[in-house]
Amino acid sequence: MIVCGDDGLARRLATELHVLYGENVVLVVPPAGTAEHPRTRFGARRAAGPRVIEAREPHDGTLIEAGLDDAAALALTYEDDEVNIRAALAARRANPRLRLVIRAYNRKLGEQLSALLDQAGAGGEGGELLAEL
């Protein structure tokens, strides 16, 4: 599993997938100290925890480094819809069988993702949409 994000949701999701479900997880986060990620990065690197890769955005090379070819799923939880959509399109090109979970704040745009990428289920609260594709 690959989780990409810049907030607590990404860190919590990666930790729970790893600890509760025993999944092999790679977490992609912006480098510590950047405007997008001013806090320190996801905890200390632990042998038993999710592997952490720092990258400004999840581009093709970053996703390949994270194990996209063999991943069962990719969760894109950035607070920027455009970043999530670009990463979803790149990931789907590289691995058409990949299951995607995409966070989107623009509901209309989020609903159109299902037509663009595949049939999808969607849910969410507070103005955001989580679409599983």
Side-chain angles (χ1 to χ4, degrees):
M1 304 258 179
I2 302 170
V3 178
C4 300
D6 55 3
D7 64 1
L9 174 62
R11 292 185 296 277
R12 188 174 68 241
L13 178 59
T15 299
E16 289 186 10
L17 285 169
H18 180 73
V19 173
L20 297 178
Y21 298 101
E23 294 291 337
N24 182 16
V25 179
V26 177
L27 176 62
V28 178
V29 297
T34 62
E36 299 87 4
H37 196 263
R39 297 172 301 280
T40 58
R41 72 177 188 167
F42 175 72
R45 192 160 178 179
R46 299 172 307 234
R51 185 171 72 121
V52 177
I53 296 175
E54 291 184 347
R56 283 189 84 83
E57 290 185 11
H59 294 294
D60 293 350
T62 303
L63 294 172
I64 296 297
E65 179 185 349
L68 183 66
D69 293 338
D70 298 322
L74 169 65
L76 297 160
T77 67
Y78 286 94
E79 294 182 359
D80 183 332
D81 291 353
E82 186 178 338
V83 169
N84 290 335
I85 291 169
R86 278 196 318 262
L89 292 171
R92 186 49 59 93
R93 277 191 310 269
N95 184 348
R97 300 173 318 282
L98 184 70
R99 187 160 227 186
L100 297 171
V101 177
I102 304 168
R103 178 189 214 177
Y105 286 91
N106 180 324
R107 280 198 170 279
K108 188 169 183 94
L109 182 61
E111 291 166 358
Q112 292 173 350
L113 285 174
S114 63
L116 181 62
L117 295 171
D118 282 334
Q119 293 300 323
E125 301 177 6
E128 68 182 341
L129 177 73
L130 292 174
E132 180 183 346
L133 307 168

